[in-house]
Amino acid sequence: ARRTNRPPPQSSAPRTPPLPPPPRDFLGQHQWNWLRSSLRRSRAPLNIVLTGLQVHPHRFPDDGNIVEEWSKFPAAQTLFYDVLLNSLDDDYDHDDDGYDNGEKEKARRGSILLVSGDVHMAQFLRKDCVRARTVREALDSSHRRTESASPPPIRPLVEVTASGMTHSWGTSFSSQPRLHRWPRKPYAYFVSRAFMTLCHCVNPWREVMVRTVEDAEREETERRRDGCRRGYDNGYGDDDGATASTGKMGLQYELGLNFAEFEFEFWDGRHDAGDDGAGDDGDEESGGAVTVRIFGKDGAQSPKLQSRWTFDQLSGDAPLPGMTAKFPEDFASMLSQKTYRERNDDEEWICIPHRGNASVVREYVANVIMFLVFCFLFFLPYLLMGVLFVRVRRRYGNKRSSC
């Protein structure tokens, strides 16, 4: 089948008027309409959305010519989140999905997984999203939310970044051949890896996921349970050496040359039916999981990063552990932004890093520290050559004076 970027045929069903594209935009009106229509027509248990640039991060500096990412166009990023979540949300009106069956569709929540690249490293990122009206209702409510109160519906958005196989921050962030040859190669490789490692340690990049031993054990337990309960072998039995415990713990990033592998598991919801046999009349896949592995240049080695998420976790129908953001405080801080004040409340979502927002002071301090580190690493060779030249000159001058 031929690929085309043309929008799909217009449906005769009544449509909700689409929101106009933002003034500074990655996509045009036709592309927004195509994305919205394609997602609403989707009946896939998992929808993978590929984008060339990272969606979640907001890096310093704000100049898009230096750091390219969706956050440099905040209105477009907000609209992107709204299109993804509204098009696959069971609370939204899907009159224009292209299916004229004369019946009310079953409520559903589509699972979403974002895949991106461009940044010359691998990362697992996550933002948690809540409808803006839920945040406003919590703020306007007369009573105060307590810790025992039930949390609002959360829609996680997980992003997998894999980049690249030619050069990376673990080798040299630049593709210039002179930095990959002697004599510049050793220092260029050292500076590149050291600088980005410090960036992950110093900068409050709260959207980067953190994996613990408990997470690895939980993923392995779920994998074995799902494989046995669904009646098939998922390739990770008790005697298999590969387990979900492989992969890096802590912050989920890899600076070396890398590529991503996606393993999908699908199962039929009829296996979950009760003793009364409810659900036996359907034959459509209703669940599954995806395991993402980041391998280094030698794919035969164990993965550098690895995580497993069920479709229910990605859709928000099942809890996805790891959220430490506070509701409604962290979400309410986003309401003051212009991109949220001008939007339709019924279609609006607020997405924040799953580990909460960092303070402005913390971000500025981290940026200043990393700027000073960058200057130090950049000028260090020249400084060493200057010190060496002065010492040699002094020593040579002392010898001449002694003669």
Short mmCIF file of all heavy atoms in Angstrom, two decimals, residues 229-259:
data_model
loop_
_atom_site.label_atom_id
_atom_site.label_comp_id
_atom_site.label_asym_id
_atom_site.label_seq_id
_atom_site.Cartn_x
_atom_site.Cartn_y
_atom_site.Cartn_z
N ARG A 229 -1.47 -17.36 32.96
CA ARG A 229 -2.91 -17.22 33.00
C ARG A 229 -3.52 -17.21 31.61
O ARG A 229 -4.61 -17.70 31.38
CB ARG A 229 -3.28 -15.93 33.74
CG ARG A 229 -4.77 -15.78 33.98
CD ARG A 229 -5.05 -14.57 34.83
NE ARG A 229 -4.59 -13.35 34.17
CZ ARG A 229 -4.69 -12.14 34.74
NH1 ARG A 229 -5.17 -12.04 35.96
NH2 ARG A 229 -4.28 -11.07 34.10
N ARG A 230 -2.77 -16.65 30.64
CA ARG A 230 -3.30 -16.57 29.29
C ARG A 230 -3.11 -17.86 28.51
O ARG A 230 -3.58 -17.98 27.39
CB ARG A 230 -2.65 -15.41 28.53
CG ARG A 230 -2.74 -14.08 29.25
CD ARG A 230 -4.16 -13.66 29.51
NE ARG A 230 -4.22 -12.47 30.37
CZ ARG A 230 -5.33 -11.90 30.77
NH1 ARG A 230 -6.48 -12.39 30.41
NH2 ARG A 230 -5.30 -10.84 31.55
N GLY A 231 -2.38 -18.79 29.06
CA GLY A 231 -2.26 -20.09 28.43
C GLY A 231 -1.24 -20.14 27.32
O GLY A 231 -1.36 -20.94 26.40
N TYR A 232 -0.22 -19.30 27.36
CA TYR A 232 0.83 -19.38 26.35
C TYR A 232 2.16 -19.09 27.01
O TYR A 232 2.23 -18.49 28.08
CB TYR A 232 0.59 -18.40 25.20
CG TYR A 232 0.73 -16.95 25.58
CD1 TYR A 232 1.95 -16.29 25.48
CD2 TYR A 232 -0.37 -16.23 26.06
CE1 TYR A 232 2.08 -14.97 25.84
CE2 TYR A 232 -0.25 -14.91 26.41
CZ TYR A 232 0.98 -14.28 26.29
OH TYR A 232 1.10 -12.98 26.64
N ASP A 233 3.22 -19.49 26.33
CA ASP A 233 4.57 -19.28 26.84
C ASP A 233 5.10 -17.97 26.26
O ASP A 233 5.23 -17.83 25.04
CB ASP A 233 5.48 -20.43 26.41
CG ASP A 233 6.90 -20.28 26.95
OD1 ASP A 233 7.11 -19.41 27.80
OD2 ASP A 233 7.77 -21.05 26.49
N ASN A 234 5.39 -17.01 27.11
CA ASN A 234 5.89 -15.74 26.62
C ASN A 234 7.41 -15.71 26.48
O ASN A 234 8.00 -14.66 26.31
CB ASN A 234 5.44 -14.59 27.54
CG ASN A 234 5.88 -14.82 28.98
OD1 ASN A 234 6.66 -15.71 29.27
ND2 ASN A 234 5.35 -14.00 29.89
N GLY A 235 8.03 -16.86 26.56
CA GLY A 235 9.46 -16.92 26.35
C GLY A 235 10.31 -16.63 27.56
O GLY A 235 11.52 -16.54 27.47
N TYR A 236 9.69 -16.44 28.71
CA TYR A 236 10.43 -16.13 29.92
C TYR A 236 9.97 -17.04 31.05
O TYR A 236 9.45 -16.60 32.07
CB TYR A 236 10.24 -14.65 30.30
CG TYR A 236 10.93 -13.73 29.35
CD1 TYR A 236 10.28 -13.28 28.20
CD2 TYR A 236 12.23 -13.33 29.57
CE1 TYR A 236 10.91 -12.43 27.32
CE2 TYR A 236 12.88 -12.48 28.69
CZ TYR A 236 12.22 -12.04 27.57
OH TYR A 236 12.84 -11.21 26.69
N GLY A 237 10.15 -18.31 30.86
CA GLY A 237 9.80 -19.27 31.88
C GLY A 237 10.81 -19.28 33.01
O GLY A 237 11.79 -18.55 33.02
N ASP A 238 10.56 -20.17 33.94
CA ASP A 238 11.45 -20.22 35.11
C ASP A 238 12.86 -20.63 34.74
O ASP A 238 13.80 -20.28 35.43
CB ASP A 238 10.89 -21.22 36.14
CG ASP A 238 9.56 -20.72 36.71
OD1 ASP A 238 9.33 -19.50 36.69
OD2 ASP A 238 8.77 -21.58 37.15
N ASP A 239 13.00 -21.38 33.62
CA ASP A 239 14.32 -21.86 33.26
C ASP A 239 15.03 -20.94 32.29
O ASP A 239 16.13 -21.21 31.85
CB ASP A 239 14.21 -23.27 32.62
CG ASP A 239 13.66 -24.27 33.61
OD1 ASP A 239 13.87 -24.07 34.82
OD2 ASP A 239 13.01 -25.25 33.17
N ASP A 240 14.39 -19.87 31.89
CA ASP A 240 14.98 -18.94 30.93
C ASP A 240 15.84 -17.94 31.69
O ASP A 240 15.43 -17.39 32.70
CB ASP A 240 13.88 -18.21 30.16
CG ASP A 240 14.43 -17.61 28.88
OD1 ASP A 240 15.49 -16.96 28.97
OD2 ASP A 240 13.80 -17.82 27.83
N GLY A 241 17.03 -17.67 31.15
CA GLY A 241 17.94 -16.76 31.83
C GLY A 241 17.54 -15.31 31.73
O GLY A 241 17.91 -14.49 32.55
N ALA A 242 16.77 -14.94 30.70
CA ALA A 242 16.37 -13.55 30.52
C ALA A 242 15.16 -13.24 31.39
O ALA A 242 14.15 -13.90 31.32
CB ALA A 242 16.05 -13.27 29.06
N THR A 243 15.28 -12.24 32.21
CA THR A 243 14.19 -11.86 33.08
C THR A 243 14.01 -10.36 33.02
O THR A 243 14.83 -9.62 32.49
CB THR A 243 14.48 -12.28 34.54
OG1 THR A 243 15.59 -11.53 35.02
CG2 THR A 243 14.77 -13.75 34.63
N ALA A 244 12.93 -9.90 33.60
CA ALA A 244 12.65 -8.47 33.61
C ALA A 244 13.56 -7.73 34.56
O ALA A 244 13.53 -6.52 34.62
CB ALA A 244 11.19 -8.24 33.99
N SER A 245 14.38 -8.45 35.35
CA SER A 245 15.28 -7.79 36.28
C SER A 245 16.51 -7.23 35.58
O SER A 245 17.29 -6.53 36.19
CB SER A 245 15.70 -8.75 37.39
OG SER A 245 16.38 -9.87 36.85
N THR A 246 16.70 -7.58 34.28
CA THR A 246 17.83 -7.02 33.56
C THR A 246 17.55 -5.57 33.25
O THR A 246 16.42 -5.11 33.23
CB THR A 246 18.08 -7.80 32.27
OG1 THR A 246 16.89 -7.74 31.46
CG2 THR A 246 18.41 -9.24 32.54
N GLY A 247 18.61 -4.85 32.96
CA GLY A 247 18.45 -3.43 32.69
C GLY A 247 18.91 -2.60 33.87
O GLY A 247 19.03 -3.06 35.01
N LYS A 248 19.15 -1.35 33.60
CA LYS A 248 19.69 -0.42 34.58
C LYS A 248 18.65 -0.02 35.62
O LYS A 248 17.48 0.13 35.31
CB LYS A 248 20.19 0.83 33.84
CG LYS A 248 20.71 1.95 34.71
CD LYS A 248 21.10 3.13 33.85
CE LYS A 248 21.56 4.31 34.69
NZ LYS A 248 21.92 5.47 33.83
N MET A 249 19.09 0.14 36.85
CA MET A 249 18.24 0.67 37.90
C MET A 249 18.54 2.17 38.07
O MET A 249 19.57 2.66 37.64
CB MET A 249 18.47 -0.06 39.23
CG MET A 249 18.21 -1.56 39.14
SD MET A 249 16.48 -1.92 38.77
CE MET A 249 16.60 -3.64 38.29
N GLY A 250 17.63 2.87 38.73
CA GLY A 250 17.81 4.29 38.91
C GLY A 250 17.25 5.07 37.73
O GLY A 250 16.28 4.65 37.09
N LEU A 251 17.83 6.24 37.46
CA LEU A 251 17.38 7.05 36.35
C LEU A 251 17.52 6.29 35.04
O LEU A 251 18.57 5.72 34.75
CB LEU A 251 18.18 8.36 36.28
CG LEU A 251 17.90 9.40 37.36
CD1 LEU A 251 18.89 10.55 37.26
CD2 LEU A 251 16.47 9.90 37.27
N GLN A 252 16.46 6.32 34.24
CA GLN A 252 16.42 5.51 33.02
C GLN A 252 16.93 6.30 31.83
O GLN A 252 16.18 6.93 31.07
CB GLN A 252 14.99 5.03 32.78
CG GLN A 252 14.49 4.06 33.84
CD GLN A 252 15.29 2.77 33.88
OE1 GLN A 252 15.08 1.87 33.07
NE2 GLN A 252 16.21 2.68 34.82
N TYR A 253 18.25 6.28 31.67
CA TYR A 253 18.89 6.88 30.51
C TYR A 253 20.14 6.09 30.16
O TYR A 253 20.75 5.45 31.02
CB TYR A 253 19.24 8.35 30.77
CG TYR A 253 20.39 8.56 31.73
CD1 TYR A 253 21.69 8.72 31.29
CD2 TYR A 253 20.17 8.59 33.11
CE1 TYR A 253 22.75 8.91 32.17
CE2 TYR A 253 21.21 8.79 34.01
CZ TYR A 253 22.50 8.95 33.52
OH TYR A 253 23.53 9.14 34.40
N GLU A 254 20.51 6.12 28.89
CA GLU A 254 21.70 5.43 28.40
C GLU A 254 22.38 6.34 27.39
O GLU A 254 21.76 6.83 26.44
CB GLU A 254 21.33 4.10 27.74
CG GLU A 254 22.44 3.44 26.96
CD GLU A 254 23.68 3.13 27.80
OE1 GLU A 254 23.53 2.91 29.02
OE2 GLU A 254 24.78 3.11 27.23
N LEU A 255 23.67 6.61 27.61
CA LEU A 255 24.39 7.57 26.78
C LEU A 255 25.14 6.94 25.62
O LEU A 255 25.57 7.66 24.71
CB LEU A 255 25.39 8.35 27.66
CG LEU A 255 24.79 9.11 28.84
CD1 LEU A 255 25.88 9.87 29.58
CD2 LEU A 255 23.68 10.05 28.40
N GLY A 256 25.33 5.64 25.63
CA GLY A 256 26.08 5.00 24.56
C GLY A 256 25.26 4.84 23.30
O GLY A 256 24.07 5.16 23.23
N LEU A 257 25.91 4.34 22.23
CA LEU A 257 25.20 4.02 21.01
C LEU A 257 24.10 3.00 21.34
O LEU A 257 24.34 2.04 22.07
CB LEU A 257 26.17 3.45 19.97
CG LEU A 257 27.32 4.36 19.56
CD1 LEU A 257 28.26 3.63 18.58
CD2 LEU A 257 26.82 5.66 18.95
N ASN A 258 22.91 3.20 20.81
CA ASN A 258 21.79 2.38 21.25
C ASN A 258 20.73 2.25 20.17
O ASN A 258 20.67 3.04 19.24
CB ASN A 258 21.18 2.98 22.53
CG ASN A 258 20.56 4.34 22.28
OD1 ASN A 258 19.39 4.46 21.89
ND2 ASN A 258 21.34 5.41 22.50
N PHE A 259 19.90 1.24 20.35
CA PHE A 259 18.68 1.08 19.57
C PHE A 259 17.64 0.41 20.45
O PHE A 259 17.97 -0.21 21.47
CB PHE A 259 18.92 0.26 18.29
CG PHE A 259 19.31 -1.18 18.54
CD1 PHE A 259 18.35 -2.18 18.59
CD2 PHE A 259 20.64 -1.53 18.73
CE1 PHE A 259 18.70 -3.50 18.82
CE2 PHE A 259 21.01 -2.85 18.97
CZ PHE A 259 20.03 -3.84 19.02
#
